[in-house]
Amino acid sequence: MAQIKVAFICVHNSCRSQIAEALGRHLAGEVFESFSAGSETKPEINPDAVRLMKEKYGIDMTERQYSKLLSEIPTPDIAISMGCNVTCPTLGRPFDDDWGLPDPTGKSDGEFLKIISAIETKILELKDKFA
């Protein structure tokens, strides 16, 4: 049986959605496939997100992740907005959930870590739902 494909969608696909993709692979890879994408892209993943994910989980997001558009990922079974008020007509359907997370870009490590922890909790909830 093919795994469920979960897409984490944000505007720039450079921070929250990238964190969700990395944590999805790390914490729930045996339950669902994680992808991230944006309606726009940035030249790189947010350096604070990269640094803090490496410090906290030992995950180097730069090894296999990059900022990508919705058209560059497989059609997801589950689509989750990170809370960016983004509309994604290329999905052809509404989001399954909106996590409503504020963008920590430019904020303190403490604010970043709060968002990372919130994403971790939601990834584990999603894992439990489909396990």
Side-chain angles (χ1 to χ4, degrees):
M1 183 173 140
Q3 275 192 320
I4 296 167
K5 292 178 179 67
V6 180
F8 303 100
I9 313 297
C10 219
V11 175
H12 296 118
N13 188 225
S14 64
C15 191
R16 291 164 288 174
S17 56
Q18 291 284 354
I19 292 167
E21 178 182 351
L23 287 177
R25 286 184 177 161
H26 182 70
L27 300 171
E30 73 282 1
V31 176
F32 57 82
E33 286 184 89
S34 295
F35 301 91
S36 67
S39 52
E40 302 171 22
T41 61
K42 288 272 188 179
E44 66 179 3
I45 300 172
N46 182 299
D48 290 322
V50 170
R51 176 177 52 82
L52 291 168
M53 288 293 289
K54 193 164 194 169
E55 287 175 11
K56 185 167 178 159
Y57 301 98
I59 298 170
D60 184 351
M61 293 196 301
T62 63
E63 284 182 353
R64 57 188 293 197
Q65 290 178 233
Y66 59 94
S67 186
K68 34 196 180 305
L69 296 171
L70 289 163
S71 60
E72 297 176 67
I73 64 169
T75 301
D77 299 302
I78 306 290
I80 297 172
S81 168
M82 302 308 291
C84 316
N85 298 319
V86 65
T87 56
C88 296
T90 56
L91 285 176
R93 63 180 176 78
F95 286 111
D96 295 288
D97 199 0
D98 181 345
W99 287 357
L101 300 168
D103 186 356
T105 299
K107 300 200 169 121
S108 70
D109 283 4
E111 289 301 310
F112 249 96
L113 290 168
K114 283 181 195 173
I115 295 301
I116 290 171
S117 291
I119 292 171
E120 178 180 355
T121 297
K122 291 186 171 291
I123 291 288
L124 292 172
E125 288 170 358
L126 199 59
K127 178 183 176 181
D128 287 345
K129 182 177 179 179
F130 294 108

